[in-house]
Amino acid sequence: MKEYPIGLVPGPVSVPKKYAQAWLMNFGSSDLEVDFFDLYAKNQILTQKLLGTRKSVVITSGEAMSILWGSVKSALASGDRLLAVASGLFGEGFADMARALGFEVEAITAEYDSLPDPQRVREAALRFHPRAITAVHCETPSGTLTPLKDLGEIALEVDALFLVDFVSSGGGVPVNVDANHIDIGLLGSQKALSLPPPLSISTVSARAWDAVKKVNYAGYDAYLPWIDVPKKTYMPYTHDWHGMMALNLSLSAIMEEGMDNVFARHSRTAALCRKLAREMGLQLFPVDETICSATVSAFYVPESWTWEAFDAALRARGLVLGGNYGRLAGRVFRVGHMGSQADETLVSRGMEIVRDVLKK
Ligand SMILES: *Cc1c(COP(=O)(O)O)cnc(C)c1O
């Protein structure tokens, strides 16, 4: 197994040693000890603060995909309609998931290097009467950040639940769950929280809980069993105590640094990354820099290179970046500067290697 001195993958990100120490501890059973439920409650409060919400917070074990599937299964009943707002792979993924689950789906799509048009979303919502509207805050493969407020207001207007994947933005940029009227917000541990992948965090509104109760979906990824955790001190499975401890360390570090300082650090690092890239002739993938997320930058693979050769040359010098998927595979690559990687020194060192490789 290879370790890279400079890791700039847009998730999973490098885990600081100070968080990794949580896995060296020997806890009791998370099912039985009051300490675990206290820790769960503390993490709920810290998460509310980080995400700008007074809504309830559910923390489950499992990679973020588990709550993307679980939220759709838990909030929609057979025959319900879902309107997927998509300007990237994850937005389209929501539509694919809902179709696979048998729901009636309409997708409002836009090019990957642009943002969705709220006016088109509103027209579709008024015509289609969806039970839920889904959106993706940061489209990690294309490096864009979709403003959520207009979409949240449309969901309110048509009485649809607003489900938002902010897996790769939460913790790096403000998410403002309440101001953006998000009913179910979805976050993973392996992006801006700088942890390994095994924890997922959801914010759930009162409206969403009503839907979840009515739908009454039962399954490994169901939301309903989590409704009164930690008050009822009972969970559907043995929780990941080590992950929960590491989450506490990560959230506490964010609060200690100050949320505004953390967001400013992400913005500064993103601006630096793009400036250095411009100087060496790399072209940003999104058409307009103002639609980019502060957590990840996407660039076209330079014309004289294949991604495979470029990637191999960077790795040989100790730098690992992100490739891409779907129609962006081989064409667009990413620099992940979220969480522990939102570090100007680290990004400068990484981009210096990119420049050296391009010169050869
Ligand atoms: C990382 C990520 C997820 C989780 O999916 P992975 O299996 O980790 O790729 C979901 N949504 C977005 C936007 C992500 O960036």
Side-chain angles (χ1 to χ4, degrees), residues 42-51 248 251-252 255:
K42 280 186 190 139
N43 283 344
Q44 284 178 308
I45 291 167
L46 290 169
T47 306
Q48 284 176 319
K49 191 168 170 200
L50 180 66
L51 301 176
N248 187 260
L251 291 169
S252 301
M255 296 309 156

Side-chain angles (χ1 to χ4, degrees), residues 298-315:
F299 303 102
Y300 284 98
V301 173
E303 260 171 34
S304 49
W305 290 83
T306 62
W307 165 245
E308 287 70 22
F310 189 43
D311 183 39
L314 299 173
R315 284 173 192 262

Side-chain angles (χ1 to χ4, degrees), residues 97-260:
M97 275 189 289
R99 275 192 204 103
L101 293 167
F103 298 111
E104 199 182 326
V105 176
E106 184 167 322
I108 299 296
T109 58
E111 292 302 322
Y112 286 9
D113 58 356
S114 70
L115 296 180
D117 173 9
Q119 193 49 40
R120 282 184 59 215
V121 174
R122 183 163 182 273
E123 282 161 19
L126 289 168
R127 169 176 45 76
F128 186 61
H129 303 297
R131 181 69 195 99
I133 297 177
T134 60
V136 177
H137 196 204
C138 171
E139 268 292 357
T140 329
S142 28
T144 56
L145 192 77
T146 294
L148 298 172
K149 190 133 193 291
D150 288 347
L151 302 177
E153 281 168 5
I154 293 164
L156 266 187
E157 182 187 349
V158 303
D159 196 26
L161 295 170
F162 189 33
L163 271 58
V164 179
D165 169 346
F166 46 70
V167 174
S168 66
S169 57
V173 302
V175 170
N176 299 326
V177 166
D178 288 357
N180 289 321
H181 311 294
I182 298 170
D183 289 294
I184 302 187
L186 307 158
L187 180 60
S189 51
Q190 81 272 33
K191 305 281 168 78
L193 298 175
S194 315
L195 301 176
L199 279 189
S200 294
I201 301 172
S202 311
T203 61
V204 187
S205 71
R207 249 157 48 100
W209 277 129
D210 287 345
V212 167
K213 282 186 225 161
K214 222 189 268 162
V215 170
N216 199 23
Y217 162 65
Y220 183 76
D221 53 358
Y223 273 58
L224 194 52
W226 295 92
I227 191 162
D228 283 324
V229 177
K231 224 171 36 203
K232 68 181 173 197
T233 61
Y234 179 80
M235 298 178 296
Y237 49 71
T238 300
H239 214 307
D240 179 353
W241 196 331
H242 297 90
M244 196 66 92
M245 184 69 216
L247 176 62
N248 187 260
L249 296 174
S250 169
L251 291 169
S252 301
I254 290 173
M255 296 309 156
E256 204 164 299
E257 183 177 348
M259 291 193 297
D260 288 344

Side-chain angles (χ1 to χ4, degrees), residues 2-68:
K2 220 167 143 61
E3 280 198 285
Y4 292 93
I6 305 182
L8 290 170
V9 176
V13 308
S14 310
V15 180
K17 293 244 167 14
K18 63 183 180 194
Y19 304 157
Q21 71 186 12
W23 280 273
L24 300 177
M25 298 172 82
N26 278 308
F27 301 110
S29 160
S30 58
D31 291 308
L32 303 172
E33 314 259 335
V34 163
D35 277 2
F36 177 81
F37 293 99
D38 286 346
L39 180 63
Y40 188 103
K42 280 186 190 139
N43 283 344
Q44 284 178 308
I45 291 167
L46 290 169
T47 306
Q48 284 176 319
K49 191 168 170 200
L50 180 66
L51 301 176
T53 185
R54 303 176 71 172
K55 295 176 175 141
S56 82
V57 167
V58 168
I59 308 171
T60 47
S61 63
E63 203 268 348
M65 291 311 299
S66 67
I67 53 171
L68 265 62

